[in-house]
């Protein structure tokens, strides 16, 4: 599949999800086009300037009415309200975990007058940025997500994700979600080395890191930071279901998005 064929197919799938969203009279792009471009930005995994240069030079015939760069990224931020259409349905069992997103190197902390991130630990090392928490169903599809600064405690910052599926899912987590005054009946704390099925969420985070360069982002405004995270997670749900979810002889459904790397 060529890049042009992939972008065309991606637009078809996104536009099918957003058929009921009407185009603004003065807009150059349809809602499906804006969301498609935002998903491509998430997949490319580079900064806004590099992405816009790649888009305008290599794929301009596909989007002849491409607006100016800053106007395009403001549109990305406005249309993120439709991302809830891309989340998967809850299942009987699910997984939850957090993941650190680096904004700047720790040595550069304090140089900005308006930083959006805070210092915290991720993968046993210090980083400055934010933290995204993913709630997955048993297939590894993203059901819901939330984000906060990197210095927050998982059990305090992301309670709403677990409480929101209290009547639908049994959620397995690591010990980072333990909290003295919070004991939901649908949360199962898994000490290190137990319940190896939790490795599914590690596989999801690994794919996002390698393909979408998700570990470090360049956004310097919190709303655009949230948009980048949301579009990346919506993209993941689309790509892993591109060819359908086919179980192997053991009933395991393998997930992969490597073939779509740009």
């Amino acid at each position: 599949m060529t890049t042009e064929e992939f972008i065309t197919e991606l637009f078809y799938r996104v536009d099918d999800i957003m058929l009921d969203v009407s185009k603004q009279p003065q807009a150059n792009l349809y809602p499906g086009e804006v969301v498609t471009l935002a998903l491509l930005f998430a997949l490319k995994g580079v900064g806004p300037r590099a992405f816009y240069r790649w888009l305008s030079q290599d794929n301009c015939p596909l989007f002849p009415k491409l607006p100016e760069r800053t106007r395009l990224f403001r549109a990305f931020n406005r249309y993120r309200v439709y991302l809830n259409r891309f989340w998967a349905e809850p299942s009987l069992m699910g997984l939850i975990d957090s993941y650190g997103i680096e904004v700047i190197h720790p040595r550069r902390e304090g140089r900005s007058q308006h930083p959006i991130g805070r210092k915290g630990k991720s993968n046993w090392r210090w980083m400055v940025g934010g933290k995204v928490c993913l709630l997955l169903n048993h297939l590894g599809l993203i059901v819901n997500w939330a984000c906060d600064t990197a210095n927050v405690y998982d059990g305090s910052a992301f309670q709403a994700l677990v409480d929101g599926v209290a009547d639908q899912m049994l959620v397995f987590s690591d010990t980072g979600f333990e909290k003295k005054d919070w004991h939901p009946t649908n949360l199962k704390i898994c000490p290190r080395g137990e319940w190896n099925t939790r490795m599914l969420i590690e596989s999801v985070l690994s794919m996002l890191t390698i393909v979408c360069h998700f570990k470090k982002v360049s956004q310097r405004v919190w709303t655009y930071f949230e948009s980048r995270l949301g579009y990346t997670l919506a993209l993941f749900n689309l790509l892993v279901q591109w060819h359908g979810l086919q179980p192997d002889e053991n009933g395991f459904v393998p997930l992969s998005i490597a073939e779509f790397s740009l």
Side-chain angles (χ1 to χ4, degrees):
M1 182 188 304
T2 66
T3 301
E4 183 174 340
E5 291 172 341
F6 166 69
I7 294 176
T8 303
E9 177 68 16
L10 179 64
F11 168 71
Y12 172 79
R13 295 178 184 233
V14 171
D15 195 55
D16 190 52
I17 296 174
M18 302 188 62
L19 281 175
D20 60 324
V21 183
S22 59
K23 176 179 176 292
Q24 296 181 1
Q26 296 180 339
N28 291 331
L29 299 176
Y30 283 85
E33 290 180 294
V34 175
V35 175
T36 300
L37 289 171
L39 295 176
L40 287 174
F41 171 58
L43 179 60
K44 191 69 175 174
V46 295
R49 294 179 184 273
F51 170 75
Y52 191 83
R53 184 169 58 249
W54 168 79
L55 186 65
S56 58
Q57 293 179 357
D58 298 349
N59 299 284
C60 190
L62 295 176
F63 303 96
K65 296 184 179 181
L66 191 67
E68 188 267 335
R69 175 178 56 86
T70 56
R71 186 182 296 271
L72 177 64
F73 279 87
R74 287 197 298 269
F76 290 173
N77 203 37
R78 288 196 307 270
Y79 280 90
R80 67 174 179 156
V81 297
Y82 298 105
L83 289 179
N84 58 352
R85 300 169 180 236
F86 294 87
W87 309 137
E89 293 296 325
S91 58
L92 183 60
M93 293 189 297
L95 308 167
I96 192 169
D97 203 355
S98 63
Y99 179 78
I101 308 291
E102 188 174 3
V103 175
I104 59 173
H105 193 277
R107 293 289 294 271
R108 296 177 61 87
E109 185 187 18
R111 298 187 184 183
S112 173
Q113 295 181 356
H114 305 286
I116 68 168
R118 296 292 185 271
K119 180 182 284 188
K121 274 194 173 182
S122 176
N123 293 359
W124 306 99
R125 72 180 185 89
W126 289 102
M127 48 85 70
V128 177
K131 183 183 290 188
V132 60
C133 185
L134 307 183
L135 177 64
L136 310 182
N137 63 17
H138 72 290
L139 297 174
L141 300 178
I142 298 168
V143 175
N144 203 351
W145 69 284
C147 67
D148 209 322
T149 52
N151 61 329
V152 301
Y153 179 65
D154 292 351
S156 299
F158 306 120
Q159 293 182 12
L161 292 180
V162 178
D163 294 337
V165 293
D167 300 328
Q168 299 171 285
M169 297 178 69
L170 174 62
V171 181
F172 294 88
S173 75
D174 59 15
T175 54
F177 282 81
E178 285 184 318
K179 197 167 184 290
K180 290 183 178 180
D181 57 347
W182 180 60
H183 304 285
T185 57
N186 65 321
L187 180 65
K188 169 66 176 177
I189 303 296
C190 304
R192 189 177 181 87
E194 295 186 10
W195 289 93
N196 290 334
T197 52
R198 289 199 72 255
M199 286 301 296
L200 176 62
I201 199 166
E202 300 297 337
S203 299
V204 171
L205 295 174
S206 177
M207 285 185 276
L208 291 172
T209 300
I210 296 173
V211 177
C212 300
H213 309 284
F214 197 45
K215 190 64 179 174
K216 186 174 183 178
V217 300
S218 60
Q219 280 67 36
R220 295 295 181 264
V221 178
W222 187 258
T223 55
Y224 289 90
F225 176 79
E226 290 180 319
S227 293
R228 172 68 181 274
L229 302 187
Y231 282 116
T232 304
L233 302 179
L235 174 74
F236 176 83
N237 273 2
L238 277 177
L239 296 186
V240 294
Q241 301 178 85
W242 195 270
H243 303 296
L245 297 174
Q246 303 295 331
D248 58 17
E249 62 275 7
N250 299 318
F252 176 73
V253 180
L255 304 178
S256 176
I257 61 173
E259 64 177 292
F260 303 105
S261 177
L262 296 177

